[in-house]
């Protein structure tokens, strides 16, 4: 970690507050609701999640929490945080639709020739011979045009060659087949970031968050692009979410989120926005000592 951020981290240590939050209360009620259903579909899951949300939020003692339900962004944040808690509190009651789709769309091609060409392409990628990898993936896609892994790796290969337009082209083809694909959503966001199209990058990271609320990369990517747009408040909101997930998972990437929080803090401090920084931290249940 860079030296300038060590000073900041010495000033601020982050820890999740132990008091039960509104999201935790909603999650507890949602788990009780889900236990009563014999067939948990995505619709049932959504209804159980949102059924008691209004009551819990509006009866919260904190006026800031009560105000959060007055905006679309506030409601979305509550839903995302609550979903994260539900998947840990009662994971067996969470619909497995997305996981099943991953098994299907991120699996091998049923076409043997396509699969063979794909493996050759992967070997070329390992050798960093991305032009040859592209040729092999093209042959794979000729045999199986809906081979998601080949489309994704085509995007990766073009991105490694700094051909962001073609990378985006193939990520979009992948998403046409598998809209929830976390790999394509994450990497198309990266490609748009390299093109300095931060708004479009954020739109894809928001889709990644919507489909995969427990994936820290969606929040981290969105936060990075908001930072580039100098929207420090939204940047910090998203980076704090990523930091919480990394911390809970004991991920090595927690160092990256800490470093980014440090960068945001330094800029907000230079703009005399330290109180706003602390307010956002408090809203995200992050305690700054």
């Amino acid at each position: 970690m860079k030296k300038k951020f060590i000073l900041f981290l010495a000033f601020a240590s982050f820890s999740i507050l132990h008091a039960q939050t509104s999201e935790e209360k909603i999650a507890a009620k949602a788990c009780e609701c889900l236990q009563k259903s014999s067939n948990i579909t995505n619709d049932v899951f959504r209804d159980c999640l949102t059924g008691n949300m209004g009551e819990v939020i509006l009866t919260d003692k904190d006026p800031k929490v009560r105000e959060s339900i007055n905006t679309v962004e506030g409601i979305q944040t509550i839903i995302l945080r609550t979903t994260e808690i539900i998947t840990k509190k009662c994971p067996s009651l969470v619909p497995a639709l997305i996981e099943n789709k991953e098994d299907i769309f991120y699996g091998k091609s049923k076409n043997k020739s396509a699969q063979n060409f794909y493996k050759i392409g992967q070997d070329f990628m390992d050798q960093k011979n991305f032009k040859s990898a592209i040729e092999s993936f093209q042959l794979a896609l000729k045999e199986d045009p809906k081979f998601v892994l080949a489309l994704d790796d085509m995007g990766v290969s073009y991105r490694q060659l700094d051909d962001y337009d073609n990378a985006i082209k193939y990520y979009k083809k992948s998403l046409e087949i598998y809209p929830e694909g976390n790999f394509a959503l994450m990497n198309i966001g990266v490609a748009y970031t390299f093109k300095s199209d931060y708004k479009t990058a954020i739109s894809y990271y928001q889709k990644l968050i919507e489909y995969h609320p427990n994936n820290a990369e969606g929040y981290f990517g969105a936060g990075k692009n908001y930072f580039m747009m100098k929207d420090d408040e939204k940047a910090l909101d998203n980076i704090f979410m990523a930091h919480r997930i990394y911390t809970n998972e004991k991920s090595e990437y927690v160092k990256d989120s800490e470093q980014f929080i440090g960068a945001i803090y330094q800029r907000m401090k230079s703009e005399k926005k330290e109180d706003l920084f602390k307010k956002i931290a408090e809203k995200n249940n992050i305690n700054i000592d």
Side-chain angles (χ1 to χ4, degrees), residues 142-159:
K142 186 177 181 180
E143 297 291 333
D144 183 357
K146 294 186 177 182
F147 191 1
V148 171
L149 289 178
L151 290 167
D152 284 345
D153 281 344
M154 278 282 279
V156 172
S157 297
Y158 274 117
R159 183 161 66 84

Side-chain angles (χ1 to χ4, degrees), residues 6 13 16 26 28 30 50 62 74 76 78 84 107 133 159 161 175 181 199 216 226 262 266 268 272 284:
I6 293 175
S13 62
I16 308 303
I26 297 168
T50 60
D62 188 343
Q76 183 184 41
I78 293 168
E84 175 190 348
R159 183 161 66 84
L161 295 172
L175 291 170
K199 287 185 178 180
Y226 278 123
Q266 292 296 338
M268 294 182 76
K272 302 186 184 304
N284 283 274

Side-chain angles (χ1 to χ4, degrees), residues 134-202:
I134 288 170
E135 292 175 0
S136 295
F137 294 140
Q138 285 174 334
L139 291 171
L141 290 167
K142 186 177 181 180
E143 297 291 333
D144 183 357
K146 294 186 177 182
F147 191 1
V148 171
L149 289 178
L151 290 167
D152 284 345
D153 281 344
M154 278 282 279
V156 172
S157 297
Y158 274 117
R159 183 161 66 84
Q160 291 293 333
L161 295 172
D162 298 330
D163 187 344
Y164 303 123
D165 290 334
N166 267 318
I168 289 168
K169 172 185 173 181
Y170 281 95
Y171 291 137
K172 285 184 175 180
K173 286 179 178 288
S174 172
L175 291 170
E176 286 176 5
I177 300 166
Y178 182 28
E180 299 99 320
N182 60 348
F183 187 90
L185 287 170
M186 180 172 63
N187 283 281
I188 196 171
V190 172
Y192 275 114
T193 301
F194 280 130
K195 285 171 63 66
S196 299
D197 187 348
Y198 306 125
K199 287 185 178 180
T200 304
I202 289 170

Side-chain angles (χ1 to χ4, degrees), residues 97-289:
L97 178 60
I98 291 178
E99 288 75 12
N100 290 340
K101 282 189 175 182
E102 286 187 358
D103 292 340
I104 295 170
F105 290 106
Y106 285 158
K108 295 180 179 180
S109 174
K110 294 180 180 179
N111 184 300
K112 290 184 178 181
S113 294
Q115 184 61 34
N116 288 335
F117 284 128
Y118 175 70
K119 286 183 67 66
I120 293 170
Q122 282 190 309
D123 289 339
F124 281 127
M125 285 184 73
D126 291 340
Q127 299 166 21
K128 301 190 182 303
N129 185 348
F130 298 109
K131 289 183 178 180
S132 295
I134 288 170
E135 292 175 0
S136 295
F137 294 140
Q138 285 174 334
L139 291 171
L141 290 167
K142 186 177 181 180
E143 297 291 333
D144 183 357
K146 294 186 177 182
F147 191 1
V148 171
L149 289 178
L151 290 167
D152 284 345
D153 281 344
M154 278 282 279
V156 172
S157 297
Y158 274 117
R159 183 161 66 84
Q160 291 293 333
L161 295 172
D162 298 330
D163 187 344
Y164 303 123
D165 290 334
N166 267 318
I168 289 168
K169 172 185 173 181
Y170 281 95
Y171 291 137
K172 285 184 175 180
K173 286 179 178 288
S174 172
L175 291 170
E176 286 176 5
I177 300 166
Y178 182 28
E180 299 99 320
N182 60 348
F183 187 90
L185 287 170
M186 180 172 63
N187 283 281
I188 196 171
V190 172
Y192 275 114
T193 301
F194 280 130
K195 285 171 63 66
S196 299
D197 187 348
Y198 306 125
K199 287 185 178 180
T200 304
I202 289 170
S203 72
Y204 281 101
Y205 283 122
Q206 286 177 334
K207 288 182 180 180
L208 178 58
I209 292 169
E210 178 183 347
Y211 288 125
H212 306 277
N214 297 318
N215 188 331
E217 297 304 316
Y219 304 102
F220 191 88
K224 181 177 180 179
N225 281 273
Y226 278 123
F227 181 78
M228 298 300 292
M229 293 173 66
K230 297 185 178 180
D231 189 336
D232 290 335
E233 186 168 354
K234 289 183 179 178
L236 196 55
D237 260 330
N238 280 278
I239 295 299
F240 273 145
M241 284 293 290
H243 181 72
R244 290 176 63 186
I245 295 172
Y246 287 145
T247 301
N248 291 337
E249 294 179 345
K250 298 182 180 179
S251 168
E252 61 182 12
Y253 293 117
V254 73
K255 294 181 180 179
D256 295 330
S257 60
E258 286 178 347
Q259 183 174 351
F260 220 121
I261 291 168
I264 297 172
Y265 173 77
Q266 292 296 338
R267 187 159 78 183
M268 294 182 76
K269 181 181 179 181
S270 70
E271 296 174 354
K272 302 186 184 304
K273 295 180 179 179
E274 292 176 85
D275 288 343
L276 178 58
F277 179 93
K278 294 177 182 178
K279 179 180 178 181
I280 297 169
E282 181 181 355
K283 183 178 71 173
N284 283 274
N285 297 317
I286 302 292
N287 185 35
I288 300 179
D289 298 325

